[in-house]
Amino acid sequence: MFTQLPPEIIHQVVESVNLLQRARIMMTCRYFHQVLEPTLYRHLSLLDPELYSRSGRLHQTLCDRPALISQVVTYHGPVCPSKDPGRSGNFFWDRTIFDEPRWSVGLTFFQKAVNIRDLYFTDHFNQWIGDPTFAHHKEAVKHMVLDRLVIQVPDESGGVVQVLRHQSELTRLELPWGGGVWNDLETTDIPKLKSLTATLETAAFIVPGRPVDEVNLLPSQGARWLNEDLLQKLSESTRPIRKFEMKLYNPLDDDSVRDALQALARHLPAIEDLTITVGGRISGRIVSRLALPCDK
């Protein structure tokens, strides 16, 4: 009876179950295997160390069956898969990686994964952004039509703009390290960007002239980090910023925090959803006196 259901109905039925349960259902009959197997590879997240240790086997499976690569729309993991189960670490310290089969397997995956929309490289981006050895990886990313991109870019890294230049559909950009060199960013780059996670210095380069309405500022050392001139740059978004998150670690004193938050209220008065995480103590009266029309 169930084997007579059309694939779209089966997809709806198993949509609420996790991948392990879905894999068990898939093993019950050949028809379910055929219908459900592609869904196992749609969203790949290798952030867990246990999963990362099996990334080599996963990439090999995908390369052996190219039809499955086209199913991948989310990839959170390393540029190069792990060597074997139980072994992890930063392979960039060993240049012999380029001679290993897993290097070519990983590259083959990215060259064929043209349907990825959500990409998160867990490797440090500066390790390969300026290295000609990774030219094919950068070319592969250029041909993806991304909606979300997460990359770890230290302050001194250049070249990230060239990667973003081809992402005209990108709406979410997250820079966990908040760095990068942005002087070459043009007004026509990433024109649909709506959500940005970065330091205030980086956000001041990226937000102006783009429809950003959600900003998540990375942790700072004290409230004086909220430079008013940089905050004013955020007001140059083509859309009002409605959602704003920031983290204040080790605030200097109540006065400095109050001054910084009042500057925030002056330049971004349209905030509706405000989240402030404080690593330290400030008076609750400071936040309660903010002239922001937000609920929290």
Side-chain angles (χ1 to χ4, degrees):
M1 175 179 176
F2 287 108
T3 57
Q4 298 176 356
L5 293 174
E8 56 270 20
I9 298 299
I10 296 176
H11 288 159
Q12 292 182 14
V13 171
V14 302
E15 187 175 359
S16 60
V17 304
N18 60 39
L19 287 180
L20 180 58
Q21 294 170 327
R22 195 173 302 181
R24 289 171 177 169
I25 295 174
M26 188 181 72
M27 296 173 62
T28 59
C29 72
R30 184 174 300 177
Y31 178 65
F32 280 176
H33 187 280
Q34 178 184 357
V35 171
L36 295 179
E37 185 183 34
T39 69
L40 297 179
Y41 299 93
R42 190 159 297 159
H43 302 286
L44 299 178
S45 180
L46 307 176
L47 302 181
D48 183 275
E50 182 66 21
L51 294 177
Y52 169 79
S53 68
R54 289 177 166 78
S55 60
R57 185 180 304 170
L58 170 64
H59 282 73
Q60 186 63 62
T61 297
L62 290 169
C63 290
D64 291 342
R65 303 178 60 190
L68 291 177
I69 298 182
S70 64
Q71 301 295 322
V72 181
V73 296
T74 300
Y75 179 81
H76 298 173
V79 174
C80 181
S82 65
K83 186 172 184 179
D84 52 55
R87 177 176 177 177
S88 60
N90 189 345
F91 70 84
F92 293 106
W93 300 111
D94 185 0
R95 302 293 292 185
T96 61
I97 180 68
F98 304 130
D99 299 323
E100 296 185 20
R102 61 188 173 117
W103 173 259
S104 59
V105 168
L107 177 58
T108 299
F109 166 74
F110 284 113
Q111 289 176 325
K112 295 182 178 180
V114 295
N115 292 325
I116 290 180
R117 298 294 179 264
D118 183 344
L119 180 62
Y120 176 9
F121 279 133
T122 55
D123 307 298
H124 296 165
F125 201 56
N126 70 315
Q127 297 283 356
W128 64 275
I129 188 62
D131 192 329
T133 311
F134 294 85
H136 295 298
H137 291 82
K138 289 181 283 188
E139 187 69 17
V141 174
K142 184 175 72 174
H143 291 291
M144 297 176 185
V145 183
L146 298 176
D147 175 68
R148 176 176 180 251
L149 177 61
V150 184
I151 47 178
Q152 301 183 56
V153 188
D155 291 336
E156 70 277 5
S157 280
V160 64
V161 172
Q162 283 66 40
V163 174
L164 294 176
R165 183 148 291 157
H166 302 276
Q167 298 302 328
S168 59
E169 299 299 315
L170 191 72
T171 64
R172 293 177 292 169
L173 176 62
E174 299 176 31
L175 306 168
W177 283 15
V181 178
W182 303 96
N183 295 328
D184 295 333
L185 191 68
E186 299 179 359
T187 55
T188 54
D189 296 334
I190 47 177
K192 297 184 180 181
L193 188 68
K194 296 181 179 180
S195 175
L196 175 66
T197 297
T199 63
L200 179 57
E201 291 81 359
T202 297
F205 270 106
I206 298 176
V207 170
R210 294 177 176 81
V212 177
D213 59 12
E214 180 178 329
V215 174
N216 182 4
L217 294 187
L218 295 178
S220 65
Q221 296 298 320
R224 58 185 171 186
W225 171 77
L226 289 177
N227 180 281
E228 186 159 359
D229 292 335
L230 296 179
L231 281 175
Q232 187 174 5
K233 285 288 186 181
L234 302 189
S235 68
E236 297 177 17
S237 171
T238 59
R239 298 181 61 182
I241 293 179
R242 305 289 186 186
K243 184 176 181 179
F244 192 90
E245 297 183 30
M246 67 178 180
K247 301 176 179 65
L248 292 174
Y249 287 171
N250 304 318
L252 301 177
D253 51 56
D254 280 0
D255 289 339
S256 61
V257 173
R258 182 187 61 248
D259 293 344
L261 297 184
Q262 286 178 345
L264 177 64
R266 283 194 298 272
H267 296 297
L268 302 176
I271 293 177
E272 298 174 350
D273 188 341
L274 174 63
T275 301
I276 303 174
T277 303
V278 180
R281 294 185 298 175
I282 62 173
S283 171
R285 292 175 296 179
I286 294 176
V287 178
S288 65
R289 291 176 181 175
L290 279 178
L292 286 171
C294 54
D295 296 327
K296 58 180 181 179

